[in-house]
Amino acid sequence: AQDMQQGWNKEAVNKPHPGLNWFSSAKFGLFIHWGLYSELGGKWKDSSYYGSGEWIMQRAKAPAGEYAKVAASFNPTGFNAAQWAARAKAAGIKYLVITAKHHEGFSMFDSRVTDFDIVDATPYHKDPMKELADACRKEGLQFGFYYSQFLDWHEPDGGGNNWDFKNRKKDYRQYYQSKSIPQLKELLNNYGPLGIIWFDMPGGLSEQETKQMIDSLKAIQPSCLFSSRVGHGLGDYIDFGDSELPPTPIEGAWESIYTHNDSWGYIRHDMNFKSPAEIIRLLSSVASKGGNLMLNVGPDGKGEWPAYSIKYLEETGKWLQQYGESIYGTTHGIIPAQPWGVTTSKPGKVFLHVWQLPDNGQLRVPGLTARINSVTLLGTAIALPWKQSADETVITLPAEWPDKRNTVIQVEYSGQQPDWSQLR
Ligand code: H79
């Protein structure tokens, strides 16, 4: 539709920012989509929907008044902030971003701007965001809010709802002034220091107006990062499209976001969860290109996480306990992606993430021309024999392979080593 033509915004100012210190070494974030759509779980009346559960109101063309009634049965008695934060921590996650308001227009926090919020409109009557913000900080995690600043299918003057509010004017400044900006200020004022405001789907404002909005918000918390979908290239770091990974390493701060199954919001009939091996390899792939992975979980209307999300994140965390050194604080791999896997780097070190074992037990690594000092299985004292020649290094792998999903070999070197782009 007309409203959405501005689409993604993958540009960012790429200026120094205090928040980029934690962001750049964090590498692994947790996205949580939670709203009224979580109570619906992909079902509206007699129809079931697959994928993008958070879009169900739009896909079912539900009238705003009728959709709003879902709030009366939204009672997440299973929500447990300490447990959510502890799960994230144990999974090796460093930051958490949760939907404060998605396109459906419902506020998952206590807002004075509207009664269409979790405290006023549901039998729960409490603010889960306050508890979650505190629990995350207790665990040492950065905490942030997703906020859909333009689309709002509940408000006649918000963006996007053209199946219900047909006659609204095409000037969205009123919406920004009366809801988005006041709510963003509430989030920045009432929930302690935020790591990120994760804007989505820009629209309706000029570059000048977007700058003004950003300035008025940055005045409250200067060290909070704004995602690139704030629009007009004015974000602090780059977000690629949903479930999109750049083909080659990218300089600067950026993030790729992925669903765990095939939806952001909870879908009761979606069991297509990425396995621990897939998550671990995805995380390594994103890190090998220099970015952060923010993986999504969609809790249900009771506040319970899907069992597979709990289990698979826990297993990912165990892998990170052993191999985290090859992920956190790394930069993109100096060796380009190989048939056997990917690489990440630290000064004087390259980490070989091996997913595919060569039949003959000989791992071929092209382009390592610096002086190699040691080759070990990461997290162990086990040294591996290697033979370095002008165009490749051949490493002899042990007969016993620790982890078929991804075992990391650490190569320590000294002296000059060309980067991947010079190796092409
Ligand atoms: O919150 C998640 C998405 O709901 C949101 N961004 C992530 C983080 C998002 N907003 N807009 N879009 C994604 C792009 C819109 C895609 C659409 Fe469709 C294609 C809208 C209609 C067709 C996918 C399929 C969503 C509904 C049907």
Side-chain angles (χ1 to χ4, degrees):
Q2 184 73 20
D3 292 341
M4 298 194 286
Q5 276 178 4
Q6 295 196 39
W8 305 122
N9 196 315
K10 301 181 190 175
E11 308 291 312
V13 291
N14 231 343
K15 276 199 295 212
H17 184 290
L20 292 178
N21 291 332
W22 72 260
F23 183 87
S24 296
S25 60
K27 296 294 161 192
F28 195 19
L30 183 68
F31 214 171
I32 299 184
H33 275 67
W34 201 37
L36 295 183
Y37 45 82
S38 313
E39 176 68 17
L40 296 171
K43 253 192 111 186
W44 178 257
K45 303 206 183 284
D46 293 327
S47 299
S48 282
Y49 297 83
Y50 192 81
S52 301
E54 72 288 355
W55 275 75
I56 193 165
M57 181 182 177
Q58 189 263 9
R59 292 172 80 191
K61 303 285 177 273
E66 215 178 308
Y67 186 85
K69 290 183 191 153
V70 177
S73 49
F74 187 79
N75 193 12
T77 48
F79 171 74
N80 183 332
Q83 179 196 57
W84 285 24
R87 276 180 194 155
K89 173 85 175 184
I93 275 152
K94 302 293 183 190
Y95 63 104
L96 187 153
V97 174
I98 187 165
T99 47
K101 175 188 83 74
H102 204 272
H103 312 335
E104 65 177 1
F106 184 72
S107 304
M108 289 293 286
F109 62 102
D110 187 14
S111 176
R112 266 169 229 175
V113 176
T114 174
D115 285 341
F116 192 48
D117 72 18
I118 190 162
V119 178
D120 296 315
T122 77
Y124 190 62
H125 289 308
K126 283 182 287 186
D127 183 348
M129 299 298 155
K130 189 81 197 120
E131 283 179 54
L132 190 59
D134 293 342
C136 284
R137 282 185 212 108
K138 234 181 226 167
E139 293 282 11
L141 306 173
Q142 289 283 341
F143 178 79
F145 286 116
Y146 168 106
Y147 190 90
S148 177
Q149 74 271 30
F150 168 55
L151 296 183
D152 194 317
W153 303 326
H154 182 74
E155 308 291 347
D157 59 357
N161 177 338
N162 43 20
W163 64 91
D164 204 355
F165 308 123
K166 294 190 178 67
N167 298 318
R168 71 208 148 81
K169 50 184 179 347
K170 293 285 175 195
D171 180 351
Y172 298 101
R173 278 170 291 195
Q174 171 61 21
Y175 173 72
Y176 276 95
Q177 290 309 326
S178 63
K179 188 166 176 181
S180 289
I181 295 175
Q183 286 205 318
L184 284 160
K185 287 183 176 168
E186 289 183 315
L187 294 172
L188 283 157
N189 277 318
N190 301 342
Y191 295 87
L194 301 182
I196 298 178
I197 297 277
W198 212 97
F199 294 88
D200 201 2
M201 295 301 284
L205 291 187
S206 68
E207 181 173 347
Q208 196 48 40
E209 289 161 340
T210 305
K211 266 194 184 126
Q212 277 169 12
M213 173 179 81
I214 290 173
D215 287 347
S216 73
L217 299 174
K218 284 273 158 96
I220 306 173
Q221 286 200 35
S223 53
C224 178
L225 292 166
F226 289 3
S227 72
S228 56
R229 294 188 196 171
V230 72
H232 297 286
L234 294 169
D236 299 312
Y237 70 90
I238 293 173
D239 258 294
F240 288 94
D242 295 359
S243 304
E244 189 189 339
L245 183 56
T248 55
I250 304 276
E251 295 299 329
W254 60 270
E255 178 182 69
S256 275
I257 58 167
Y258 276 83
T259 53
H260 189 190
N261 53 3
D262 292 327
S263 174
W264 304 99
Y266 176 67
I267 297 271
R268 66 187 79 218
H269 42 276
D270 180 351
M271 291 296 146
N272 195 26
F273 291 92
K274 291 175 185 69
S275 67
E278 288 174 289
I279 297 173
I280 290 162
R281 291 172 184 182
L282 182 60
L283 179 61
S284 307
S285 290
V286 177
S288 79
K289 290 167 178 177
N292 289 358
L293 169 67
M294 185 156 71
L295 184 70
N296 183 75
V297 166
D300 67 15
K302 284 277 159 258
E304 309 286 355
W305 290 19
Y308 284 111
S309 292
I310 297 174
K311 188 164 184 278
Y312 292 174
L313 277 170
E314 195 179 305
E315 290 192 34
T316 303
K318 285 186 198 148
W319 182 86
L320 277 163
Q321 255 171 31
Q322 174 156 11
Y323 296 111
E325 208 187 319
S326 68
I327 299 286
Y328 306 121
T330 59
T331 54
H332 73 263
I334 53 173
I335 309 295
Q338 296 298 314
W340 43 257
V342 298
T343 73
T344 53
S345 307
K346 280 181 180 170
K349 283 182 187 176
V350 56
F351 300 102
L352 316 175
H353 296 254
V354 184
W355 309 340
Q356 194 73 48
L357 284 180
D359 290 337
N360 60 1
Q362 304 287 301
L363 190 77
R364 312 177 86 89
V365 187
L368 266 178
T369 52
R371 191 195 129 85
I372 294 176
N373 299 321
S374 72
V375 178
T376 50
L377 272 180
L378 184 61
T380 73
I382 300 170
L384 303 178
W386 83 90
K387 211 168 163 204
Q388 190 174 21
S389 61
D391 49 333
E392 67 175 7
T393 302
V394 180
I395 298 169
T396 302
L397 303 178
E400 280 288 304
W401 195 239
D403 194 326
K404 289 209 172 80
R405 302 168 304 182
N406 183 353
T407 292
V408 183
I409 296 172
Q410 173 180 277
V411 179
E412 287 187 284
Y413 64 85
S414 45
Q416 285 296 328
Q417 168 61 41
D419 193 28
W420 72 278
S421 55
Q422 300 157 287
L423 295 175
R424 285 285 162 100

